[in-house]
């Protein structure tokens, strides 16, 4: 080994150059300010006790950059801050969406962004412990909506509620809504959607829900969400009087909001192919001008510079509409609540389409034929019994007799397929597929599209030629409209 003191180099210079570089990199006051704010964020997330030095340093930073001191008050909601400082609403929208690559860094802007990001994250992620009031839940839902907006999403979208276009939950009237497309959340904050849903579910469980529902003033402060609806559906048999009436009002409100979103998705989905066996209706609005001109070009008179039209062509507008039977089978066990709510509403929407005969079956260890109430998702959900094990064979016993004309039938089976009787259930499903009916296995039906599916079933469905659909509800809507249109 060469002796460093005799190899002709200056060890003092080599040792001090990196140190000098490091010092230069932290001399920027904005960089130091940003680090203070993020150190405070981490400290408050992992320890609810205040770190006096970090708190005082953060107060100095916020005041120095001209932001309101309320950003550091854990009791202040984002709504209240925006109401007092309306100009901040636009800054919160899209706050955490990755910006396009730009030359150079605006370190002052990074400090401002760090202060606002810290506020949103702390309000949503640091929920404490103990009993939760209706007001605290409403406040958290509002702040969670602002976090979703900061990520470029609509309030409720990442929590699996009215994702994709419903009315916002607890959004300040001074706000402007989502700011564009959804970013790549996998690189920004991993699994943020399930995390938000889990926090909300925990808050609902910590709330004395029955006492809240019994008080109309407190119940009015609740904002319906998937977690809250799940709890209401599980507890509905233990409610009565005012509490039951308030629970039903919340369920109805949530159902109506989700239904509005799903109706829009159904309306936008592609429909069936044109029926060319029916002659086009010969009216002016159906006139195909381009084709008419093209087919009459042989009648062009160069001398007169005039095109003589002796034949008109019209567009086909009639689409094939075959009377179809749609059988929806939904696993209502504890892990499939989101799917149960969405599919109940979706089935009611398709039941309203002309010439579509919709049947709805829910199951856990027992099966329930909900077809008589399929047009009213509210009444359907009140008849569900969430929880329990999973035995799809009991649902199959109800579904198979409904397949009168296989070629004219589609069976949608929504489950995670963690079943008690795997082999006999799969054989029954394969028999439906071989009969000529369209069999669509779906992992789940959520707004986020996340689906956990038993790999045993997933591989066999793939071999059968009926791969499990992704859990995103838009894909199921597209599949159904294509078949039923």
């Amino acid at each position: 080994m060469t002796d460093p003191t005799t190899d002709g180099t200056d060890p003092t210079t080599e040792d001090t150059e990196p140190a000098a570089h490091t010092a230069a990199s932290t001399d920027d006051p904005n960089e130091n300010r940003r680090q203070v704010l993020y150190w405070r964020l981490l400290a408050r997330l992992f320890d609810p006790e205040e770190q006096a030095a970090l708190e005082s340093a953060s107060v100095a930073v916020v005041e120095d950059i001209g932001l309101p001191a309320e950003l550091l008050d854990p009791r202040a909601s984002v709504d209240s801050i925006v109401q007092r400082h309306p100009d901040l609403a636009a800054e919160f929208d899209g706050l955490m969406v990755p910006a396009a690559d730009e030359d150079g860094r605006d370190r002052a802007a990074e400090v401002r962004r760090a202060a606002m990001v810290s506020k949103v994250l702390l309000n949503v992620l640091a929920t404490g412990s103990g009993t939760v009031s209706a007001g605290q839940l409403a406040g958290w839902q509002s702040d969670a909506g602002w976090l979703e907006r900061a990520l470029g999403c609509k309030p409720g979208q990442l929590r699996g509620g009215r994702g994709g276009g419903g009315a916002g939950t607890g959004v300040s009237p001074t706000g402007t809504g989502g700011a564009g497309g959804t970013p790549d959340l996998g690189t920004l904050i991993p699994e943020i959607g399930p995390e938000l849903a889990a926090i909300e579910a925990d808050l609902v469980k910590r709330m004395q829900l029955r006492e809240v529902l019994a008080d109309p003033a407190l119940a009015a402060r609740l904002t319906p969400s998937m977690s809250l609806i799940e709890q209401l559906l599980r507890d509905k048999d233990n409610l009565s009087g005012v509490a039951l009436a308030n629970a039903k009002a919340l369920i109805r409100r949530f159902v109506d909001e989700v239904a509005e979103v799903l109706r829009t998705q159904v309306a936008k989905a592609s429909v069936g192919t044109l029926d060319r066996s029916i002659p086009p209706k010969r009216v002016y609005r159906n006139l195909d001008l381009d084709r008419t001109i093209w087919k009459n070009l042989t009648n062009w008179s160069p001398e007169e510079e005039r095109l003589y039209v002796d034949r008109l062509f019209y567009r086909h507008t009639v689409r094939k509409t075959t009377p179809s039977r749609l059988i929806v089978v939904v696993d209502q066990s504890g892990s499939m609540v989101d799917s149960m709510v969405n599919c109940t509403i979706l089935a009611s929407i398709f039941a309203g389409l002309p010439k579509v005969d919709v049947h709805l079956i829910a199951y856990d260890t027992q099966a329930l034929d909900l077809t008589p109430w399929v047009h009213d998702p509210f009444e359907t959900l009140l008849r569900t019994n969430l929880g329990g094990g999973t035995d799809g064979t009991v649902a199959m016993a109800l579904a198979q007799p409904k397949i009168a004309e296989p070629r004219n039938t589609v069976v949608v089976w929504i489950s995670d397929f963690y079943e008690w009787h795997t082999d006999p259930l799969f054989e029954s499903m394969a028999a439906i597929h071989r009969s000529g009916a369209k069999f669509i296995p779906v992992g789940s039906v959520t707004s986020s599209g996340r689906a956990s599916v038993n790999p045993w079933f997933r591989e066999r469905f793939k071999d059968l030629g009926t791969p499990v659909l992704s859990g995103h509800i838009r894909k199921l809507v597209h599949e159904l409209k294509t078949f039923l249109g």
Side-chain angles (χ1 to χ4, degrees), residues 204 209-210 213 225-239 243-244 247-252 254-255 332-333 336-342 344-345 377-387:
V204 170
L209 187 56
R210 295 180 191 176
L213 291 172
S225 64
M226 190 61 74
S227 297
L228 182 59
I229 296 308
E230 175 183 352
Q231 197 67 26
L232 292 175
L233 291 175
R234 290 184 186 281
D235 205 35
K236 64 182 183 298
D237 293 335
N238 299 315
L239 302 175
L244 181 59
K248 287 184 175 181
L250 285 165
I251 295 171
R252 170 76 75 181
F254 186 77
V255 165
Q332 66 170 356
S333 62
M336 300 295 293
V337 176
D338 200 340
S339 293
M340 186 69 229
V341 173
N342 278 288
T344 297
I345 298 170
F378 171 73
E379 291 295 333
T380 301
L381 286 173
L382 292 183
R383 286 168 172 77
T384 59
N385 185 26
L386 303 178

Side-chain angles (χ1 to χ4, degrees), residues 18-341:
H21 175 72
T22 302
S25 66
T26 56
D27 279 346
D28 186 338
N30 285 319
E31 180 64 20
N32 291 335
R33 289 168 177 160
R34 188 176 67 90
Q35 289 184 13
V36 164
L37 292 170
Y38 280 136
W39 275 115
R40 174 185 177 271
L41 168 63
L42 292 173
R44 293 298 293 262
L45 284 176
F46 292 103
D47 186 355
E49 295 296 325
E50 287 188 2
Q51 302 294 320
L54 284 175
E55 291 297 324
S56 59
S58 297
V59 169
V61 169
V62 168
E63 291 178 347
D64 193 41
I65 62 177
L67 284 173
E70 297 99 304
L71 283 174
L72 299 178
D73 183 356
R75 297 166 298 179
S77 68
V78 178
D79 265 353
S80 65
I81 293 173
V82 167
Q83 286 166 1
R84 295 177 188 176
H85 308 275
D87 55 309
L88 292 182
E91 289 192 61
F92 277 111
D93 278 331
L95 177 67
M96 300 168 71
V97 176
D101 292 337
E102 298 178 356
D103 295 334
R105 292 172 58 183
D106 186 343
R107 294 186 182 274
E110 289 179 0
V111 176
R112 189 177 182 89
R113 188 159 52 247
M116 299 179 71
V117 166
S118 295
K119 177 58 182 175
V120 178
L121 290 179
L122 276 177
N123 277 29
V124 174
L125 301 181
T127 57
S129 59
T131 303
V132 174
S133 69
Q136 288 172 320
L137 176 63
W140 182 90
Q141 290 174 325
S142 171
D143 287 328
W146 281 105
L147 174 58
E148 288 166 320
R149 287 170 58 162
L151 292 167
C153 305
K154 294 181 181 296
Q157 183 172 346
L158 295 181
R159 287 169 283 158
R162 287 138 290 190
T169 57
V171 180
S172 168
T174 56
T176 56
T182 304
D184 181 1
L185 302 182
T187 58
L188 190 60
I189 300 181
E191 300 299 324
I192 187 65
E195 180 69 19
L196 288 180
I199 294 174
E200 185 173 32
D202 177 65
L203 291 172
V204 170
K205 288 180 181 178
R206 287 159 50 191
M207 185 173 61
Q208 303 297 326
L209 187 56
R210 295 180 191 176
E211 287 78 0
V212 171
L213 291 172
D215 186 330
L218 292 177
R221 301 187 66 177
L222 295 175
T223 298
S225 64
M226 190 61 74
S227 297
L228 182 59
I229 296 308
E230 175 183 352
Q231 197 67 26
L232 292 175
L233 291 175
R234 290 184 186 281
D235 205 35
K236 64 182 183 298
D237 293 335
N238 299 315
L239 302 175
S240 61
V242 174
L244 181 59
N246 286 329
K248 287 184 175 181
L250 285 165
I251 295 171
R252 170 76 75 181
R253 183 172 152 200
F254 186 77
V255 165
D256 290 344
E257 290 176 354
V258 176
E260 184 177 351
V261 175
L262 295 185
R263 284 193 195 96
T264 301
Q265 294 181 0
V266 170
K268 290 180 178 179
S270 61
V271 294
T273 57
L274 293 172
D275 190 350
R276 299 190 181 278
S277 65
I278 300 176
K281 193 172 183 180
R282 296 176 179 273
V283 295
Y284 178 76
R285 68 174 179 271
N286 291 343
L287 182 63
D288 190 338
L289 287 175
D290 291 340
R291 192 170 175 223
T292 296
I293 293 172
W294 176 259
K295 291 291 186 179
N296 287 279
L297 282 179
T298 55
N299 299 328
W300 171 254
S301 172
E303 295 79 10
E304 300 178 61
E305 295 185 348
R306 180 174 296 181
L307 178 66
Y308 290 92
V309 176
D310 57 15
R311 191 177 177 188
L312 297 175
F313 291 84
Y314 297 87
R315 297 185 185 91
H316 284 80
T317 56
V318 177
R319 298 184 180 273
K320 293 180 179 179
T321 55
T322 307
S324 304
R325 173 163 292 188
L326 170 62
I327 302 171
V328 181
V329 183
V330 190
D331 175 355
Q332 66 170 356
S333 62
S335 59
M336 300 295 293
V337 176
D338 200 340
S339 293
M340 186 69 229
V341 173

